[in-house]
């Protein structure tokens, strides 16, 4: 997974570099057309100016489209990278939990022990509750949440957090 993340960071860098070059090329084309339009207008050549203004408008629209398309690609890859980083963090947190408790807590006694470890070490916790789904609890919320757990309630401890 770490290799995949490294590859995504490399792809993102390449994507940003390529996007910037393409944006600059489009902007340079627009600026060149503006310069030509000004020169033609100064020469009072209206028919050529009309043609160049039409081309300028198309070039400006194309530059916007290029910018939008590259921004969409950049955001998509950034989101994909963030999801990968989250998965790595979650795997690390689950491993930390298993290391600190000697395994994944399954019984209520082990679950309460996990809460005590998190409370004692100043950590938060990610839990999965049957009725509430996945929930991340801060250290400050743990004691109150622990007191509200009822035997028979479907809960599992997924990870400790910093």
């Amino acid at each position: 997974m770490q290799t995949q993340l490294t590859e995504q960071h490399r792809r993102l860098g390449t994507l940003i570099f390529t996007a910037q070059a393409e944006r600059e090329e489009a902007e340079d084309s627009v600026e060149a057309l503006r310069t030509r339009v000004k020169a033609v207008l100064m020469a009072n050549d209206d028919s050529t100016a009309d043609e160049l203004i039409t081309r300028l408008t198309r070039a400006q629209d194309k530059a916007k489209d290029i910018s939008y398309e590259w921004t969409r690609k950049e955001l998509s890859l950034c989101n994909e990278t963030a999801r990968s980083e989250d998965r790595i963090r979650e795997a690390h947190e689950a491993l930390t939990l298993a290391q600190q408790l000697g395994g994944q807590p399954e019984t209520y006694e082990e679950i309460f022990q996990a809460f005590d470890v998190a409370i004692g070490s100043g950590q938060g916790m990610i839990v999965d509750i049957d009725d509430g789904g996945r929930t991340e609890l801060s250290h400050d919320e743990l004691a109150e949440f622990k007191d509200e757990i009822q035997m028979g309630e479907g809960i599992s401890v997924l990870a400790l957090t910093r």
Side-chain angles (χ1 to χ4, degrees), residues 132-147:
R134 183 185 173 103
T135 304
E136 187 163 346
L137 302 169
S138 70
H139 175 261
D140 298 334
E141 298 170 309
L142 288 178
E144 180 180 345
F145 189 86
K146 178 185 172 192
D147 291 341

Side-chain angles (χ1 to χ4, degrees), residues 94-131:
L95 178 62
T96 300
L97 173 70
Q99 288 172 336
Q100 287 184 353
L101 301 177
Q104 188 68 24
E106 294 178 9
T107 67
Y108 279 95
E109 182 179 315
E110 291 170 340
I111 290 170
F112 286 123
Q113 180 187 5
F115 271 86
D116 291 340
V117 167
I119 291 168
S121 63
Q123 295 177 297
M125 184 180 285
I126 300 173
V127 296
D128 189 8
I129 308 163
D130 283 349
D131 294 338

